[in-house]
Amino acid sequence: MSNRRVMVVKSGGPEAFQEWRDCFAALDPGLELLDWDAALRRRDEVDYALVWDPEPGGLATMPRLRAIFGSGAGVDGILLDTRLPRGVPIVRMAIPEATQRMGEFCCWAALSLLKDARRMAIAQAAGEWDYFEAPYRADMRTVGIMGLGAMGARCAAMLSAIGFPVIGWARTAKDVPGVESFAGAEALPAFLARTDILVCLLPATPETRHIIRAETLAMLPPGAGYVGIGRGMQHRLDDILAALDSGRLSGAVLDVFEPEPLPAGHPLWQHPKAIVTPHVASLPSRAERAGFVARTIAGFERGETLPNLFDPARGY
Ligand code: NDP
């Protein structure tokens, strides 16, 4: 039996496509990769899709499609296509390399807030010897993580190892070693009241839109820090700016925005209390992600269940 299968890839530009092709050539030589335009010309042959932002309606025209792989942990870019093919499973990327990278970023962000790295960077840029003492040690600042999934749990473990007390909030109670778990909307105020550095690592769903806004920021202890690394739709930037200006927030590290990129001239670019990064908190390499997709396809073709599926009922 021929092992030839076809996968459409739409995640990055032409150079990225070439890199994907090189990665899969080494991992699964029977898998032919097509870019988006080629796949539309050969739509009857496509077995799998690996996509970040498919053009709406396109995947539904591929009758053989057996599974859609998101090229990132969040599949919100795929869900923008309201005409996705019915019954074709969507697999969310879940790889240890990605959670490790996210954990590193999260620790860097929490430590940057703890040590006021933004103040140091401003002083260095001005050539000033701005001597100051950071008031807290890690063990004095509780990190509260919203979203205790694959990313959140790994961040919790790495933050704990540095010495931060860690608590977490999710829809349902979690059993993460060393992490006090808060569950559901009714527990959110108590969770926020205990949080000195808030980390948002939620998926983009209708429930999480603008979950970080003036009302929720007001539940944090005065002078708390904020790390926004889930999705830009989860925080209202005007409210974050106001909280930074009033001192309600002592600092913020923001990696995700709506829209992206953050528009030129936006006050956050120059804000003395904000660190802005360009949606790079966890960027596993294409080789790491291709490894996951190739292993998953191999398992699927042996009859194994697909892992980490998008669940329309949950919304993520
Ligand atoms: P998971 O699906 O493993 O975990 C999601 C977590 O969020 C679960 O604990 C879930 O709780 C919780 N959650 C979902 N909806 C709600 C809600 N309405 N209220 C409370 N808790 C909720 O996802 P990952 O950890 O793999 O990824 C999380 C997100 O991180 C991604 O969706 C993406 O948005 C973001 N991300 C950002 C990146 C970046 O570079 N900035 C890179 C990668 C991911 P429960 O289990 O109880 O449902």
Side-chain angles (χ1 to χ4, degrees):
M1 190 182 101
S2 160
N3 197 31
R4 286 215 67 78
R5 292 93 77 240
V6 171
M7 181 163 77
V8 56
V9 177
K10 186 171 185 311
S11 177
E15 276 177 29
F17 178 75
Q18 195 49 53
E19 198 184 328
W20 286 118
R21 187 131 74 180
D22 294 344
C23 292
F24 281 99
L27 292 162
D28 184 350
L31 188 66
E32 182 185 358
L33 262 57
L34 299 181
D35 66 19
W36 187 256
D37 290 342
L40 290 180
R41 286 192 299 274
R42 291 172 55 190
R43 55 187 85 215
D44 293 346
E45 298 171 53
V46 178
D47 300 284
Y48 301 107
L50 171 59
V51 288
W52 171 256
D53 53 354
E55 283 171 21
L59 292 174
T61 68
M62 300 175 187
R64 277 172 61 120
L65 199 57
R66 301 169 70 192
I68 301 168
F69 292 89
S71 64
V75 293
D76 34 304
I78 299 175
L79 300 179
L80 290 176
D81 180 351
T82 54
R83 287 170 284 155
L84 286 171
R86 278 167 184 265
V88 179
I90 302 176
V91 183
R92 304 173 312 148
M93 187 71 59
I95 50 176
E97 295 91 337
T99 56
Q100 171 67 22
R101 287 173 189 267
M102 183 60 89
E104 292 163 2
F105 189 95
C106 196
C107 291
W108 166 79
L111 288 171
S112 296
L113 293 174
L114 187 75
K115 301 293 175 194
D116 205 344
R118 178 73 176 127
R119 175 171 171 172
M120 295 185 209
I122 291 170
Q124 183 179 351
E128 282 171 12
W129 189 261
D130 176 23
Y131 183 83
F132 70 99
E133 290 175 26
Y136 301 114
R137 297 185 312 268
D139 60 287
M140 299 165 156
R141 302 296 272 169
T142 296
V143 180
I145 305 179
M146 301 175 88
L148 268 187
M151 296 286 179
R154 183 64 160 261
C155 290
M158 292 172 71
L159 288 160
S160 296
I162 293 173
F164 287 104
V166 182
I167 61 177
W169 179 76
R171 284 185 325 144
T172 54
K174 301 286 175 226
D175 190 11
V176 178
V179 179
E180 191 180 337
S181 161
F182 293 71
E186 59 289 352
L188 187 58
F191 163 80
L192 292 172
R194 289 266 307 279
T195 293
D196 299 307
I197 298 177
L198 179 66
V199 175
C200 185
L201 259 174
L202 291 164
T205 69
E207 290 78 45
T208 65
R209 170 162 289 278
H210 289 168
I211 195 164
I212 308 297
R213 54 182 186 275
E215 187 189 339
T216 32
L217 291 171
M219 294 179 196
L220 294 166
Y226 174 60
V227 180
I229 45 183
R231 284 292 183 263
M233 54 83 85
Q234 290 153 0
H235 44 228
R236 211 185 257 153
L237 286 189
D238 288 349
D239 291 3
I240 289 172
L241 262 174
L244 289 169
D245 289 338
S246 71
R248 157 65 49 189
L249 282 179
S250 58
V253 178
L254 299 164
D255 183 56
V256 286
F257 303 90
E258 187 182 65
E260 289 181 0
L262 180 67
H266 193 284
L268 276 169
W269 280 117
Q270 302 299 332
H271 201 287
K273 302 248 172 89
I275 296 177
V276 169
T277 56
H279 199 146
V280 292
S282 172
L283 279 185
S285 69
R286 291 196 179 88
E288 289 165 351
R289 288 179 284 166
F292 168 79
V293 175
R295 282 192 303 279
T296 305
I297 288 178
F300 178 60
E301 291 177 352
R302 283 194 303 267
E304 292 167 17
T305 318
L306 287 168
N308 211 32
L309 289 180
F310 165 73
D311 176 353
R314 270 187 337 194
Y316 73 95

